[in-house]
PDB file of all heavy atoms in Angstrom:
ATOM      1  N   GLN A  98      35.793  12.794  13.086  1.00  0.00           N
ATOM      2  CA  GLN A  98      36.189  12.566  14.479  1.00  0.00           C
ATOM      3  C   GLN A  98      35.616  13.624  15.422  1.00  0.00           C
ATOM      4  O   GLN A  98      35.772  13.517  16.633  1.00  0.00           O
ATOM      5  CB  GLN A  98      37.719  12.565  14.592  1.00  0.00           C
ATOM      6  CG  GLN A  98      38.398  11.501  13.734  1.00  0.00           C
ATOM      7  CD  GLN A  98      39.909  11.626  13.785  1.00  0.00           C
ATOM      8  OE1 GLN A  98      40.478  12.127  14.750  1.00  0.00           O
ATOM      9  NE2 GLN A  98      40.582  11.163  12.734  1.00  0.00           N
ATOM     10  N   ASP A  99      34.946  14.631  14.857  1.00  0.00           N
ATOM     11  CA  ASP A  99      34.443  15.729  15.673  1.00  0.00           C
ATOM     12  C   ASP A  99      33.084  15.442  16.286  1.00  0.00           C
ATOM     13  O   ASP A  99      32.532  16.274  17.000  1.00  0.00           O
ATOM     14  CB  ASP A  99      34.344  17.011  14.830  1.00  0.00           C
ATOM     15  CG  ASP A  99      35.717  17.519  14.409  1.00  0.00           C
ATOM     16  OD1 ASP A  99      36.702  17.178  15.086  1.00  0.00           O
ATOM     17  OD2 ASP A  99      35.776  18.249  13.409  1.00  0.00           O
ATOM     18  N   THR A 100      32.496  14.302  15.985  1.00  0.00           N
ATOM     19  CA  THR A 100      31.182  13.970  16.512  1.00  0.00           C
ATOM     20  C   THR A 100      31.204  12.545  17.049  1.00  0.00           C
ATOM     21  O   THR A 100      32.259  11.911  17.144  1.00  0.00           O
ATOM     22  CB  THR A 100      30.100  14.143  15.428  1.00  0.00           C
ATOM     23  OG1 THR A 100      28.789  14.094  16.041  1.00  0.00           O
ATOM     24  CG2 THR A 100      30.198  13.076  14.349  1.00  0.00           C
ATOM     25  N   TYR A 101      30.026  12.040  17.430  1.00  0.00           N
ATOM     26  CA  TYR A 101      29.936  10.669  17.942  1.00  0.00           C
ATOM     27  C   TYR A 101      29.988   9.691  16.765  1.00  0.00           C
ATOM     28  O   TYR A 101      29.192   9.778  15.833  1.00  0.00           O
ATOM     29  CB  TYR A 101      28.643  10.484  18.720  1.00  0.00           C
ATOM     30  CG  TYR A 101      28.412   9.073  19.208  1.00  0.00           C
ATOM     31  CD1 TYR A 101      29.364   8.435  20.000  1.00  0.00           C
ATOM     32  CD2 TYR A 101      27.254   8.378  18.874  1.00  0.00           C
ATOM     33  CE1 TYR A 101      29.170   7.143  20.457  1.00  0.00           C
ATOM     34  CE2 TYR A 101      27.038   7.089  19.336  1.00  0.00           C
ATOM     35  CZ  TYR A 101      28.001   6.473  20.116  1.00  0.00           C
ATOM     36  OH  TYR A 101      27.802   5.184  20.560  1.00  0.00           O
ATOM     37  N   VAL A 102      30.930   8.759  16.816  1.00  0.00           N
ATOM     38  CA  VAL A 102      31.120   7.795  15.735  1.00  0.00           C
ATOM     39  C   VAL A 102      31.165   6.387  16.308  1.00  0.00           C
ATOM     40  O   VAL A 102      31.776   6.144  17.357  1.00  0.00           O
ATOM     41  CB  VAL A 102      32.437   8.070  14.963  1.00  0.00           C
ATOM     42  CG1 VAL A 102      32.635   7.059  13.841  1.00  0.00           C
ATOM     43  CG2 VAL A 102      32.430   9.490  14.407  1.00  0.00           C
ATOM     44  N   GLU A 103      30.506   5.466  15.617  1.00  0.00           N
ATOM     45  CA  GLU A 103      30.575   4.046  15.974  1.00  0.00           C
ATOM     46  C   GLU A 103      31.120   3.244  14.801  1.00  0.00           C
ATOM     47  O   GLU A 103      30.954   3.631  13.640  1.00  0.00           O
ATOM     48  CB  GLU A 103      29.183   3.509  16.335  1.00  0.00           C
ATOM     49  CG  GLU A 103      28.640   4.010  17.646  1.00  0.00           C
ATOM     50  CD  GLU A 103      27.410   3.255  18.082  1.00  0.00           C
ATOM     51  OE1 GLU A 103      26.885   2.428  17.296  1.00  0.00           O
ATOM     52  OE2 GLU A 103      26.965   3.496  19.206  1.00  0.00           O
ATOM     53  N   GLN A 104      31.732   2.117  15.128  1.00  0.00           N
ATOM     54  CA  GLN A 104      32.150   1.157  14.113  1.00  0.00           C
ATOM     55  C   GLN A 104      31.156   0.006  14.106  1.00  0.00           C
ATOM     56  O   GLN A 104      30.747  -0.487  15.166  1.00  0.00           O
ATOM     57  CB  GLN A 104      33.550   0.627  14.390  1.00  0.00           C
ATOM     58  CG  GLN A 104      34.078  -0.276  13.276  1.00  0.00           C
ATOM     59  CD  GLN A 104      35.528  -0.674  13.506  1.00  0.00           C
ATOM     60  OE1 GLN A 104      35.858  -1.257  14.536  1.00  0.00           O
ATOM     61  NE2 GLN A 104      36.384  -0.358  12.550  1.00  0.00           N
ATOM     62  N   THR A 105      30.731  -0.423  12.923  1.00  0.00           N
ATOM     63  CA  THR A 105      29.774  -1.520  12.797  1.00  0.00           C
ATOM     64  C   THR A 105      30.512  -2.863  12.826  1.00  0.00           C
ATOM     65  O   THR A 105      31.734  -2.909  12.668  1.00  0.00           O
ATOM     66  CB  THR A 105      28.987  -1.392  11.479  1.00  0.00           C
ATOM     67  OG1 THR A 105      29.851  -1.715  10.376  1.00  0.00           O
ATOM     68  CG2 THR A 105      28.430   0.013  11.309  1.00  0.00           C
ATOM     69  N   PRO A 106      29.792  -3.971  12.992  1.00  0.00           N
ATOM     70  CA  PRO A 106      30.455  -5.280  13.028  1.00  0.00           C
ATOM     71  C   PRO A 106      31.234  -5.616  11.763  1.00  0.00           C
ATOM     72  O   PRO A 106      32.160  -6.426  11.812  1.00  0.00           O
ATOM     73  CB  PRO A 106      29.284  -6.254  13.223  1.00  0.00           C
ATOM     74  CG  PRO A 106      28.249  -5.454  13.928  1.00  0.00           C
ATOM     75  CD  PRO A 106      28.363  -4.076  13.339  1.00  0.00           C
ATOM     76  N   THR A 107      30.870  -5.016  10.626  1.00  0.00           N
ATOM     77  CA  THR A 107      31.579  -5.309   9.374  1.00  0.00           C
ATOM     78  C   THR A 107      32.653  -4.274   9.058  1.00  0.00           C
ATOM     79  O   THR A 107      33.210  -4.266   7.961  1.00  0.00           O
ATOM     80  CB  THR A 107      30.580  -5.392   8.200  1.00  0.00           C
ATOM     81  OG1 THR A 107      29.816  -4.175   8.150  1.00  0.00           O
ATOM     82  CG2 THR A 107      29.642  -6.571   8.372  1.00  0.00           C
ATOM     83  N   GLY A 108      32.943  -3.381  10.008  1.00  0.00           N
ATOM     84  CA  GLY A 108      34.029  -2.423   9.828  1.00  0.00           C
ATOM     85  C   GLY A 108      33.619  -1.078   9.287  1.00  0.00           C
ATOM     86  O   GLY A 108      34.472  -0.201   9.099  1.00  0.00           O
ATOM     87  N   GLY A 109      32.326  -0.877   9.010  1.00  0.00           N
ATOM     88  CA  GLY A 109      31.851   0.423   8.557  1.00  0.00           C
ATOM     89  C   GLY A 109      31.778   1.422   9.698  1.00  0.00           C
ATOM     90  O   GLY A 109      32.050   1.089  10.859  1.00  0.00           O
TER      91      GLY A 109
END
Side-chain angles (χ1 to χ4, degrees):
Q98 301 175 26
D99 293 337
T100 192
Y101 176 56
V102 180
E103 289 191 352
Q104 186 174 58
T105 72
T107 55

